[in-house]
Coordinates of all heavy atoms in Angstrom, one line a residue:
E1 N 6.3 22.4 -1.1 CA 6.9 21.2 -0.6 C 7.3 20.3 -1.8 O 6.6 20.2 -2.7 CB 5.8 20.5 0.2 CG 6.4 19.2 0.9 CD 5.3 18.6 1.8 OE1 4.5 19.3 2.4 OE2 5.2 17.4 1.8
A2 N 8.5 19.8 -1.7 CA 9.1 19.0 -2.8 C 8.2 17.7 -2.9 O 7.8 17.1 -1.9 CB 10.5 18.6 -2.5
A3 N 8.1 17.3 -4.1 CA 7.3 16.0 -4.3 C 8.1 14.9 -3.7 O 9.4 14.8 -3.8 CB 7.2 15.8 -5.8
V4 N 7.4 13.9 -3.1 CA 8.1 12.8 -2.5 C 8.4 11.8 -3.6 O 7.6 11.5 -4.5 CB 7.1 12.1 -1.5 CG1 7.8 10.9 -0.8 CG2 6.5 13.1 -0.6
S5 N 9.7 11.4 -3.6 CA 10.1 10.4 -4.6 C 11.0 9.4 -3.9 O 11.4 9.6 -2.7 CB 10.8 11.0 -5.8 OG 12.0 11.7 -5.4
G6 N 11.4 8.4 -4.6 CA 12.3 7.4 -4.0 C 11.5 6.1 -3.9 O 10.4 6.0 -4.4
P7 N 12.2 5.1 -3.3 CA 11.5 3.8 -3.3 C 10.2 3.8 -2.5 O 10.1 4.4 -1.5 CB 12.6 2.9 -2.7 CG 13.5 3.8 -1.9 CD 13.4 5.1 -2.6
V8 N 9.3 3.0 -3.0 CA 8.0 2.7 -2.3 C 8.2 1.5 -1.5 O 8.5 0.4 -2.1 CB 6.9 2.5 -3.3 CG1 5.6 2.2 -2.6 CG2 6.7 3.8 -4.1
V9 N 8.1 1.6 -0.2 CA 8.3 0.4 0.7 C 7.0 0.2 1.5 O 6.5 1.1 2.1 CB 9.5 0.7 1.7 CG1 9.7 -0.5 2.6 CG2 10.7 1.0 0.9
F10 N 6.6 -1.1 1.5 CA 5.5 -1.6 2.3 C 6.0 -2.3 3.5 O 6.9 -3.2 3.3 CB 4.6 -2.5 1.5 CG 3.7 -1.8 0.5 CD1 4.2 -1.3 -0.7 CD2 2.3 -1.5 0.7 CE1 3.4 -0.6 -1.7 CE2 1.6 -0.8 -0.2 CZ 2.1 -0.4 -1.4
T11 N 5.5 -2.0 4.7 CA 5.9 -2.6 5.9 C 4.7 -3.2 6.6 O 3.7 -2.5 6.8 CB 6.6 -1.6 6.9 OG1 7.7 -1.0 6.2 CG2 7.1 -2.4 8.1
A12 N 4.8 -4.5 6.8 CA 3.7 -5.2 7.5 C 3.6 -4.8 9.0 O 4.7 -4.9 9.7 CB 3.8 -6.7 7.4
L13 N 2.5 -4.4 9.4 CA 2.3 -4.0 10.9 C 1.8 -5.2 11.6 O 1.9 -5.3 12.8 CB 1.3 -2.9 11.0 CG 1.7 -1.6 10.2 CD1 0.6 -0.6 10.3 CD2 3.0 -1.1 10.8
E14 N 1.2 -6.2 10.9 CA 0.8 -7.5 11.5 C 0.8 -8.5 10.3 O 1.2 -8.1 9.2 CB -0.6 -7.4 12.1 CG -1.7 -6.7 11.3 CD -2.9 -6.4 12.1 OE1 -3.7 -7.4 12.4 OE2 -3.1 -5.3 12.5
E15 N 0.5 -9.7 10.6 CA 0.6 -10.7 9.6 C -0.4 -10.4 8.4 O -1.6 -10.1 8.7 CB 0.2 -12.1 10.1 CG 0.6 -13.2 9.2 CD 0.4 -14.6 9.9 OE1 -0.8 -15.1 9.9 OE2 1.4 -15.1 10.4
V16 N 0.1 -10.3 7.2 CA -0.8 -9.9 6.1 C -0.3 -10.5 4.8 O 0.9 -10.6 4.5 CB -0.7 -8.3 6.0 CG1 0.7 -7.8 5.8 CG2 -1.5 -7.8 4.8
W17 N -1.3 -11.1 4.1 CA -1.0 -11.7 2.8 C -1.1 -10.6 1.7 O -2.0 -9.8 1.7 CB -2.0 -12.8 2.5 CG -1.8 -13.4 1.1 CD1 -1.0 -14.4 0.8 CD2 -2.4 -12.9 -0.1 NE1 -1.0 -14.6 -0.6 CE2 -1.9 -13.8 -1.2 CE3 -3.3 -11.9 -0.5 CZ2 -2.3 -13.6 -2.5 CZ3 -3.7 -11.8 -1.8 CH2 -3.2 -12.6 -2.8
V18 N -0.1 -10.6 0.9 CA -0.1 -9.6 -0.2 C 0.4 -10.2 -1.5 O 1.1 -11.2 -1.5 CB 0.9 -8.4 0.1 CG1 0.4 -7.6 1.2 CG2 2.3 -8.9 0.4
R19 N 0.0 -9.6 -2.6 CA 0.6 -10.0 -3.9 C 0.8 -8.7 -4.6 O -0.1 -7.8 -4.8 CB -0.4 -10.9 -4.7 CG 0.2 -11.3 -6.1 CD -0.5 -12.5 -6.6 NE -1.8 -12.2 -7.0 CZ -2.2 -11.9 -8.3 NH1 -1.3 -11.8 -9.2 NH2 -3.4 -11.7 -8.6
F20 N 2.1 -8.5 -5.0 CA 2.5 -7.4 -5.8 C 2.7 -7.9 -7.2 O 3.3 -9.0 -7.4 CB 3.8 -6.8 -5.3 CG 3.6 -6.1 -4.0 CD1 3.9 -6.7 -2.8 CD2 3.2 -4.7 -3.9 CE1 3.7 -6.1 -1.6 CE2 3.1 -4.1 -2.7 CZ 3.3 -4.8 -1.5
Y21 N 2.1 -7.2 -8.2 CA 2.2 -7.8 -9.6 C 2.1 -6.7 -10.6 O 1.8 -5.5 -10.3 CB 1.0 -8.8 -9.8 CG -0.4 -8.2 -9.5 CD1 -1.2 -7.7 -10.5 CD2 -0.8 -8.1 -8.2 CE1 -2.4 -7.1 -10.3 CE2 -2.1 -7.5 -8.0 CZ -2.8 -7.0 -9.0 OH -4.1 -6.5 -8.7
T22 N 2.4 -7.1 -11.9 CA 2.3 -6.2 -13.0 C 1.4 -6.8 -14.0 O 1.0 -8.0 -13.8 CB 3.7 -5.9 -13.6 OG1 4.1 -7.1 -14.2 CG2 4.7 -5.4 -12.6
P23 N 1.0 -6.1 -15.1 CA 0.2 -6.8 -16.1 C 0.9 -8.1 -16.6 O 0.2 -9.0 -17.1 CB 0.1 -5.7 -17.2 CG 0.2 -4.4 -16.4 CD 1.2 -4.7 -15.4
S24 N 2.2 -8.2 -16.5 CA 2.8 -9.3 -17.1 C 3.2 -10.4 -16.1 O 3.7 -11.5 -16.5 CB 4.1 -8.9 -17.8 OG 5.0 -8.2 -17.0
G25 N 2.9 -10.2 -14.8 CA 3.1 -11.3 -13.9 C 3.3 -10.8 -12.4 O 3.3 -9.6 -12.1
T26 N 3.6 -11.8 -11.6 CA 3.7 -11.6 -10.1 C 5.1 -11.1 -9.8 O 6.1 -11.7 -10.2 CB 3.3 -12.8 -9.3 OG1 2.0 -13.2 -9.6 CG2 3.5 -12.6 -7.8
L27 N 5.2 -10.0 -9.0 CA 6.5 -9.6 -8.5 C 6.9 -10.3 -7.2 O 8.0 -10.7 -7.0 CB 6.5 -8.1 -8.3 CG 6.3 -7.2 -9.5 CD1 5.9 -5.8 -9.0 CD2 7.5 -7.2 -10.3
M28 N 5.9 -10.4 -6.3 CA 6.1 -11.0 -5.0 C 4.7 -11.4 -4.4 O 3.8 -10.6 -4.5 CB 6.8 -10.0 -4.1 CG 7.2 -10.6 -2.7 SD 5.9 -10.7 -1.5 CE 6.1 -9.2 -0.6
E29 N 4.6 -12.6 -3.9 CA 3.4 -13.0 -3.3 C 3.8 -13.7 -2.0 O 4.7 -14.6 -2.0 CB 2.6 -13.9 -4.2 CG 1.3 -14.4 -3.5 CD 0.4 -15.2 -4.5 OE1 0.7 -15.2 -5.7 OE2 -0.5 -15.9 -4.0
A30 N 3.3 -13.3 -0.8 CA 3.8 -13.9 0.4 C 2.8 -13.5 1.6 O 2.1 -12.5 1.5 CB 5.2 -13.4 0.7
L31 N 3.0 -14.3 2.6 CA 2.4 -13.9 3.9 C 3.4 -13.2 4.6 O 4.5 -13.8 5.0 CB 1.9 -15.2 4.6 CG 1.1 -14.9 5.9 CD1 -0.2 -14.2 5.6 CD2 0.9 -16.2 6.6
M32 N 3.3 -11.9 4.8 CA 4.3 -11.1 5.4 C 4.1 -11.1 6.9 O 3.0 -11.0 7.4 CB 4.3 -9.6 4.9 CG 4.6 -9.5 3.5 SD 4.4 -7.8 2.8 CE 5.7 -6.9 3.6
A33 N 5.2 -11.2 7.7 CA 5.1 -11.2 9.1 C 5.3 -9.8 9.6 O 5.8 -9.0 8.8 CB 6.2 -12.1 9.7
P34 N 4.9 -9.5 10.8 CA 5.1 -8.1 11.3 C 6.5 -7.7 11.2 O 7.4 -8.4 11.6 CB 4.6 -8.2 12.8 CG 3.7 -9.3 12.8 CD 4.2 -10.3 11.8
G35 N 6.8 -6.5 10.6 CA 8.1 -6.0 10.4 C 8.7 -6.3 9.1 O 9.7 -5.7 8.7
D36 N 8.1 -7.3 8.3 CA 8.6 -7.6 7.0 C 8.4 -6.4 6.1 O 7.4 -5.7 6.2 CB 7.9 -8.8 6.4 CG 8.4 -10.1 6.9 OD1 9.3 -10.1 7.8 OD2 7.8 -11.1 6.5
T37 N 9.3 -6.2 5.2 CA 9.2 -5.1 4.2 C 9.3 -5.6 2.8 O 9.9 -6.6 2.5 CB 10.2 -4.0 4.4 OG1 11.5 -4.6 4.2 CG2 10.2 -3.4 5.8
Y38 N 8.7 -4.9 1.9 CA 8.8 -5.1 0.5 C 9.0 -3.8 -0.2 O 8.2 -2.9 -0.1 CB 7.6 -5.9 -0.1 CG 7.7 -6.1 -1.6 CD1 8.6 -7.0 -2.1 CD2 6.9 -5.3 -2.5 CE1 8.7 -7.1 -3.5 CE2 7.0 -5.5 -3.8 CZ 8.0 -6.4 -4.3 OH 8.1 -6.5 -5.7
T39 N 10.0 -3.7 -1.0 CA 10.3 -2.5 -1.8 C 9.8 -2.8 -3.2 O 10.3 -3.7 -3.9 CB 11.8 -2.2 -1.8 OG1 12.2 -2.0 -0.4 CG2 12.1 -0.9 -2.6
V40 N 8.9 -1.9 -3.7 CA 8.4 -2.1 -5.1 C 9.6 -1.7 -6.1 O 10.2 -0.6 -5.9 CB 7.2 -1.2 -5.3 CG1 6.7 -1.3 -6.8 CG2 6.1 -1.5 -4.3
P41 N 9.9 -2.6 -7.0 CA 11.0 -2.3 -7.9 C 10.6 -1.0 -8.7 O 9.5 -0.9 -9.2 CB 11.0 -3.5 -8.9 CG 10.3 -4.6 -8.2 CD 9.3 -3.9 -7.3
Q42 N 11.6 0.0 -8.7 CA 11.3 1.2 -9.3 C 11.1 1.1 -10.9 O 10.6 2.0 -11.5 CB 12.3 2.3 -8.9 CG 12.2 2.6 -7.5 CD 13.1 3.8 -7.1 OE1 14.2 3.7 -6.6 NE2 12.5 5.0 -7.2
D43 N 11.6 0.0 -11.4 CA 11.5 -0.2 -12.9 C 10.3 -1.1 -13.3 O 10.2 -1.4 -14.4 CB 12.8 -0.7 -13.5 CG 13.2 -2.1 -12.9 OD1 12.5 -2.5 -11.9 OD2 14.1 -2.7 -13.4
A44 N 9.5 -1.4 -12.3 CA 8.4 -2.3 -12.5 C 7.4 -1.6 -13.4 O 7.1 -0.4 -13.3 CB 7.7 -2.8 -11.2
D45 N 6.8 -2.3 -14.3 CA 5.8 -1.8 -15.3 C 4.4 -1.8 -14.7 O 3.8 -2.9 -14.5 CB 5.8 -2.6 -16.6 CG 4.7 -2.1 -17.5 OD1 4.5 -0.9 -17.7 OD2 4.1 -3.0 -18.2
R46 N 3.9 -0.6 -14.2 CA 2.6 -0.5 -13.7 C 2.3 -1.5 -12.5 O 1.4 -2.3 -12.6 CB 1.5 -0.7 -14.7 CG 1.6 0.3 -15.9 CD 0.4 0.4 -16.8 NE 0.0 -0.8 -17.4 CZ 0.6 -1.4 -18.5 NH1 1.6 -0.8 -19.0 NH2 0.1 -2.5 -19.0
P47 N 3.2 -1.5 -11.5 CA 3.0 -2.4 -10.4 C 1.7 -2.1 -9.6 O 1.3 -1.0 -9.5 CB 4.2 -2.1 -9.5 CG 4.6 -0.7 -9.7 CD 4.3 -0.5 -11.2
M48 N 1.0 -3.2 -9.1 CA -0.2 -3.1 -8.4 C -0.2 -4.1 -7.2 O 0.7 -4.9 -7.1 CB -1.4 -3.5 -9.3 CG -1.6 -2.5 -10.4 SD -2.8 -3.1 -11.6 CE -1.8 -4.2 -12.6
I49 N -1.1 -3.9 -6.3 CA -1.2 -4.7 -5.1 C -2.6 -5.4 -5.0 O -3.5 -4.8 -5.4 CB -0.8 -3.9 -3.8 CG1 -0.8 -4.9 -2.6 CG2 -1.9 -2.8 -3.6 CD1 -0.3 -4.2 -1.3
R50 N -2.6 -6.6 -4.4 CA -3.8 -7.2 -4.0 C -3.6 -7.7 -2.5 O -2.6 -8.3 -2.2 CB -4.2 -8.4 -4.9 CG -5.5 -9.1 -4.4 CD -5.9 -10.2 -5.3 NE -7.0 -11.0 -4.7 CZ -8.3 -10.6 -4.8 NH1 -8.6 -9.5 -5.5 NH2 -9.2 -11.4 -4.3
T51 N -4.5 -7.3 -1.7 CA -4.4 -7.7 -0.3 C -5.8 -7.6 0.4 O -6.7 -6.9 -0.1 CB -3.4 -6.9 0.5 OG1 -3.3 -7.4 1.9 CG2 -3.8 -5.4 0.6
G52 N -6.0 -8.4 1.4 CA -7.2 -8.3 2.2 C -7.0 -7.5 3.5 O -8.0 -7.2 4.2
R53 N -5.8 -7.0 3.7 CA -5.5 -6.2 4.9 C -4.7 -5.0 4.6 O -3.6 -4.8 5.1 CB -4.7 -7.1 5.9 CG -5.5 -8.3 6.5 CD -6.7 -7.9 7.4 NE -6.4 -6.8 8.3 CZ -5.8 -7.0 9.5 NH1 -5.4 -8.2 9.9 NH2 -5.6 -5.9 10.3
P54 N -5.3 -4.1 3.8 CA -4.6 -2.8 3.5 C -4.3 -2.0 4.7 O -3.4 -1.2 4.7 CB -5.6 -2.1 2.5 CG -6.9 -2.7 2.8 CD -6.7 -4.1 3.2
D55 N -5.1 -2.2 5.8 CA -5.0 -1.5 7.0 C -3.7 -1.9 7.8 O -3.3 -1.2 8.7 CB -6.2 -1.7 7.9 CG -6.5 -3.2 8.2 OD1 -6.5 -4.0 7.2 OD2 -6.6 -3.5 9.4
A56 N -3.2 -3.1 7.4 CA -2.0 -3.6 8.1 C -0.7 -3.3 7.4 O 0.3 -3.9 7.8 CB -2.2 -5.1 8.3
L57 N -0.7 -2.4 6.4 CA 0.5 -2.1 5.7 C 0.8 -0.7 5.8 O 0.0 0.2 5.4 CB 0.3 -2.5 4.2 CG 0.2 -4.0 3.9 CD1 -0.4 -4.2 2.5 CD2 1.5 -4.6 4.0
R58 N 2.0 -0.4 6.3 CA 2.5 1.0 6.3 C 3.2 1.2 5.0 O 3.9 0.3 4.5 CB 3.4 1.2 7.5 CG 3.7 2.7 7.8 CD 4.6 2.9 9.0 NE 6.0 2.8 8.5 CZ 7.0 2.4 9.2 NH1 6.8 2.0 10.4 NH2 8.2 2.4 8.7
I59 N 3.0 2.4 4.5 CA 3.7 2.7 3.2 C 4.5 3.9 3.3 O 4.1 5.0 3.9 CB 2.6 3.0 2.1 CG1 1.5 1.9 2.1 CG2 3.2 3.2 0.7 CD1 0.3 2.3 1.3
T60 N 5.8 3.8 2.8 CA 6.6 5.0 2.8 C 7.2 5.2 1.4 O 7.3 4.2 0.6 CB 7.9 4.9 3.7 OG1 8.6 3.7 3.4 CG2 7.4 4.8 5.2
I61 N 7.4 6.4 1.0 CA 8.0 6.8 -0.3 C 9.2 7.6 0.0 O 9.1 8.6 0.6 CB 7.0 7.6 -1.2 CG1 5.7 6.8 -1.4 CG2 7.7 7.9 -2.5 CD1 4.6 7.6 -2.1
G62 N 10.4 7.0 -0.3 CA 11.6 7.7 0.0 C 11.8 8.0 1.5 O 12.3 9.0 1.9
G63 N 11.2 7.1 2.3 CA 11.4 7.2 3.7 C 10.3 8.0 4.4 O 10.2 8.1 5.6
R64 N 9.4 8.6 3.6 CA 8.3 9.5 4.2 C 7.0 8.7 4.1 O 6.6 8.2 3.1 CB 8.2 10.8 3.4 CG 9.4 11.7 3.7 CD 9.3 13.0 3.0 NE 8.1 13.7 3.3 CZ 7.8 14.9 2.8 NH1 8.6 15.5 1.9 NH2 6.7 15.5 3.2
E65 N 6.4 8.6 5.3 CA 5.1 7.9 5.4 C 4.0 8.6 4.6 O 3.9 9.8 4.6 CB 4.7 7.7 6.8 CG 3.6 6.6 7.0 CD 3.5 6.1 8.4 OE1 4.5 6.3 9.2 OE2 2.5 5.4 8.7
V66 N 3.2 7.8 3.9 CA 2.0 8.3 3.2 C 0.8 7.5 3.7 O 0.9 6.5 4.4 CB 2.1 8.1 1.6 CG1 3.3 8.9 1.1 CG2 2.3 6.6 1.3
P67 N -0.4 8.0 3.5 CA -1.6 7.3 4.0 C -1.7 5.9 3.6 O -1.3 5.5 2.4 CB -2.8 8.2 3.5 CG -2.2 9.5 3.2 CD -0.8 9.2 2.7
R68 N -2.2 5.0 4.5 CA -2.5 3.6 4.1 C -3.5 3.5 3.0 O -4.3 4.5 2.8 CB -2.9 2.9 5.4 CG -1.8 2.8 6.4 CD -2.3 2.0 7.6 NE -1.5 2.4 8.7 CZ -1.7 2.0 10.0 NH1 -2.7 1.1 10.2 NH2 -1.0 2.4 11.0
L69 N -3.6 2.4 2.4 CA -4.6 2.2 1.3 C -6.0 2.2 1.9 O -6.9 2.6 1.2 CB -4.3 0.9 0.6 CG -2.9 0.8 -0.1 CD1 -2.7 -0.6 -0.7 CD2 -2.8 1.9 -1.1
A70 N -6.2 1.7 3.1 CA -7.5 1.7 3.8 C -7.2 1.7 5.3 O -6.2 1.2 5.7 CB -8.3 0.6 3.3
E71 N -8.3 2.0 6.0 CA -8.2 2.0 7.5 C -8.8 0.7 8.1 O -8.8 0.6 9.3 CB -8.8 3.2 8.1 CG -8.1 4.5 7.7 CD -6.6 4.5 8.2 OE1 -6.3 4.0 9.3 OE2 -5.7 5.0 7.4
E72 N -9.4 -0.1 7.2 CA -10.1 -1.3 7.7 C -9.8 -2.5 6.8 O -9.4 -2.3 5.7 CB -11.6 -1.1 7.9 CG -12.4 -0.8 6.6 CD -12.2 0.6 6.1 OE1 -12.1 1.5 6.9 OE2 -12.2 0.8 4.9
E73 N -10.1 -3.7 7.3 CA -10.0 -4.9 6.5 C -10.9 -4.8 5.3 O -12.1 -4.5 5.4 CB -10.3 -6.1 7.3 CG -9.3 -6.5 8.3 CD -9.7 -7.8 8.9 OE1 -10.0 -8.8 8.2 OE2 -9.6 -8.0 10.2
Q74 N -10.4 -5.0 4.1 CA -11.2 -5.1 2.9 C -10.3 -5.6 1.8 O -9.1 -5.4 1.8 CB -11.8 -3.7 2.5 CG -10.7 -2.7 2.2 CD -11.4 -1.4 1.8 OE1 -11.7 -1.2 0.6 NE2 -11.4 -0.4 2.7
V75 N -10.8 -6.4 0.9 CA -10.0 -6.9 -0.2 C -9.8 -5.8 -1.2 O -10.8 -5.1 -1.7 CB -10.7 -8.1 -0.9 CG1 -9.9 -8.5 -2.1 CG2 -10.8 -9.3 0.1
M76 N -8.6 -5.5 -1.5 CA -8.3 -4.4 -2.5 C -7.5 -5.1 -3.6 O -6.6 -5.9 -3.3 CB -7.5 -3.3 -1.9 CG -8.3 -2.6 -0.8 SD -7.5 -1.1 -0.2 CE -7.9 0.1 -1.5
S77 N -7.8 -4.8 -4.8 CA -7.1 -5.4 -5.9 C -6.8 -4.4 -7.0 O -7.6 -3.4 -7.1 CB -8.0 -6.5 -6.4 OG -7.4 -7.3 -7.5
D78 N -5.8 -4.6 -7.8 CA -5.5 -3.7 -8.9 C -5.2 -2.3 -8.4 O -5.6 -1.3 -9.1 CB -6.6 -3.7 -10.0 CG -6.7 -5.1 -10.6 OD1 -5.8 -5.9 -10.5 OD2 -7.8 -5.4 -11.2
V79 N -4.7 -2.1 -7.2 CA -4.4 -0.8 -6.8 C -2.9 -0.4 -7.2 O -2.0 -1.1 -6.8 CB -4.5 -0.7 -5.2 CG1 -4.1 0.7 -4.7 CG2 -5.9 -1.1 -4.8
P80 N -2.8 0.6 -8.0 CA -1.4 1.0 -8.4 C -0.5 1.4 -7.2 O -1.0 2.1 -6.3 CB -1.6 2.2 -9.3 CG -3.1 2.2 -9.7 CD -3.8 1.5 -8.5
V81 N 0.7 0.9 -7.2 CA 1.6 1.2 -6.1 C 2.9 1.9 -6.5 O 3.9 1.8 -5.9 CB 1.9 0.0 -5.3 CG1 0.7 -0.5 -4.6 CG2 2.5 -1.1 -6.2
T82 N 2.8 2.7 -7.7 CA 3.9 3.6 -8.0 C 3.9 4.8 -7.0 O 2.8 5.1 -6.5 CB 3.9 4.1 -9.4 OG1 2.6 4.8 -9.6 CG2 3.9 2.9 -10.4
A83 N 5.0 5.4 -6.9 CA 5.1 6.6 -6.0 C 4.1 7.6 -6.5 O 3.3 8.3 -5.7 CB 6.5 7.2 -6.0
E84 N 4.0 7.8 -7.8 CA 3.1 8.8 -8.4 C 1.6 8.5 -8.1 O 0.8 9.3 -7.7 CB 3.2 8.9 -9.9 CG 4.6 9.4 -10.4 CD 5.7 8.3 -10.2 OE1 5.4 7.1 -10.2 OE2 6.9 8.7 -10.0
A85 N 1.3 7.2 -8.2 CA -0.1 6.8 -8.0 C -0.5 6.9 -6.5 O -1.6 7.4 -6.1 CB -0.4 5.4 -8.4
L86 N 0.4 6.5 -5.6 CA 0.2 6.6 -4.2 C 0.0 8.1 -3.8 O -0.8 8.4 -2.9 CB 1.3 5.9 -3.4 CG 1.3 4.4 -3.6 CD1 2.6 3.8 -3.0 CD2 0.1 3.8 -2.9
R87 N 0.9 9.0 -4.3 CA 0.8 10.4 -4.0 C -0.5 11.0 -4.4 O -1.0 11.9 -3.8 CB 2.0 11.1 -4.6 CG 3.2 11.1 -3.8 CD 4.2 12.2 -4.2 NE 4.4 12.3 -5.6 CZ 5.3 11.7 -6.2 NH1 6.2 10.9 -5.6 NH2 5.5 11.8 -7.6
A88 N -1.0 10.5 -5.6 CA -2.3 11.0 -6.1 C -3.5 10.5 -5.5 O -4.6 11.0 -5.7 CB -2.3 10.7 -7.6
R89 N -3.4 9.5 -4.6 CA -4.6 8.9 -3.9 C -5.2 10.0 -3.1 O -4.5 10.8 -2.4 CB -4.2 7.7 -3.1 CG -3.9 6.5 -3.8 CD -3.5 5.4 -2.9 NE -4.7 5.0 -2.0 CZ -5.6 4.2 -2.3 NH1 -5.7 3.6 -3.5 NH2 -6.6 3.9 -1.5
P90 N -6.6 10.1 -3.0 CA -7.2 11.0 -2.1 C -6.9 10.6 -0.7 O -6.8 9.5 -0.4 CB -8.7 10.9 -2.4 CG -8.8 9.5 -3.1 CD -7.5 9.3 -3.8
R91 N -6.7 11.6 0.1 CA -6.5 11.3 1.5 C -7.8 10.7 2.1 O -8.9 11.2 1.8 CB -6.2 12.6 2.3 CG -4.9 13.3 1.7 CD -3.9 13.3 2.8 NE -2.7 14.0 2.3 CZ -1.5 13.4 2.1 NH1 -1.4 12.1 2.3 NH2 -0.5 14.0 1.7
A92 N -7.6 9.8 3.0 CA -8.8 9.2 3.7 C -9.4 10.3 4.5 O -8.8 11.0 5.2 CB -8.3 8.1 4.6
P93 N -10.8 10.4 4.4 CA -11.4 11.5 5.1 C -11.3 11.2 6.6 O -11.5 10.0 7.0 CB -12.9 11.4 4.6 CG -13.0 10.1 4.0 CD -11.7 9.6 3.6
A94 N -11.0 12.2 7.4 CA -11.0 12.0 8.8 C -12.4 11.8 9.3 O -13.3 12.5 8.8 CB -10.4 13.2 9.5
S95 N -12.6 10.8 10.2 CA -14.0 10.6 10.6 C -14.4 11.8 11.5 O -13.7 12.2 12.4 CB -14.1 9.3 11.4 OG -13.1 9.3 12.4
A96 N -15.5 12.4 11.1 CA -16.0 13.6 11.8 C -16.5 13.2 13.1 O -17.2 12.2 13.3 CB -17.1 14.3 10.9
P97 N -16.2 14.0 14.1 CA -16.8 13.7 15.5 C -18.3 13.8 15.4 O -18.9 14.7 14.7 CB -16.2 14.8 16.4 CG -15.7 15.9 15.4 CD -15.4 15.2 14.1
S98 N -19.0 12.9 16.1 CA -20.4 12.9 16.0 C -20.9 14.1 16.8 O -20.4 14.4 17.9 CB -21.0 11.6 16.6 OG -20.4 11.3 17.8
P99 N -21.9 14.8 16.3 CA -22.4 16.0 17.0 C -23.1 15.6 18.3 O -23.8 14.6 18.4 CB -23.4 16.6 16.0 CG -23.8 15.5 15.1 CD -22.6 14.5 15.1
T100 N -22.8 16.3 19.3 CA -23.4 16.0 20.6 C -24.6 16.9 20.7 O -24.6 18.1 20.4 CB -22.4 16.3 21.8 OG1 -21.9 17.6 21.6 CG2 -21.3 15.3 21.9
T101 N -25.7 16.3 21.1 CA -27.0 17.0 21.2 C -27.5 17.1 22.6 O -27.1 16.3 23.4 CB -28.1 16.4 20.3 OG1 -28.2 15.0 20.7 CG2 -27.8 16.5 18.9

């Protein structure tokens, strides 16, 4: 399967505060409304994200959806958001069905 490349786009699924930044400063900080999108500049130097609602952000790379940063509300900070870093993230483990006894 060809490696996914292309622009990294975050789409808000519900109202969500985000800050995209690099070591040298903020790229974008906003309260995104449902449907708002943000495309990470492909020339950004080590772009990262901080948000309290990683579960409310859909991520695509070159138009192909990749796993969300988390499945529940939690503050996440200094998470790299380059296409390479997002592709390298471990897949969220599927919750195993509880054994029936």
Side-chain angles (χ1 to χ4, degrees):
E1 186 177 322
V4 184
S5 65
V8 175
V9 180
F10 284 77
T11 303
L13 302 174
E14 50 193 283
E15 193 172 85
V16 55
W17 177 87
V18 293
R19 182 159 68 96
F20 291 93
Y21 55 98
T22 67
S24 55
T26 298
L27 295 167
M28 189 278 268
E29 181 173 345
L31 185 63
M32 295 173 72
D36 283 358
T37 63
Y38 176 71
T39 302
V40 178
Q42 292 190 268
D43 60 353
D45 174 41
R46 302 193 304 280
M48 293 171 279
I49 186 174
R50 177 177 174 83
T51 183
R53 292 297 313 277
D55 57 308
L57 291 166
R58 194 178 88 208
I59 309 167
T60 58
I61 302 172
R64 293 181 56 182
E65 195 162 345
V66 297
R68 295 183 202 172
L69 298 177
E71 295 301 322
E72 64 281 327
E73 289 189 43
Q74 58 177 283
V75 174
M76 297 187 81
S77 183
D78 299 338
V79 179
V81 292
T82 60
E84 296 73 27
L86 290 168
R87 277 201 308 271
R89 286 177 64 82
R91 300 245 182 248
S95 49
S98 50
T100 51
T101 52

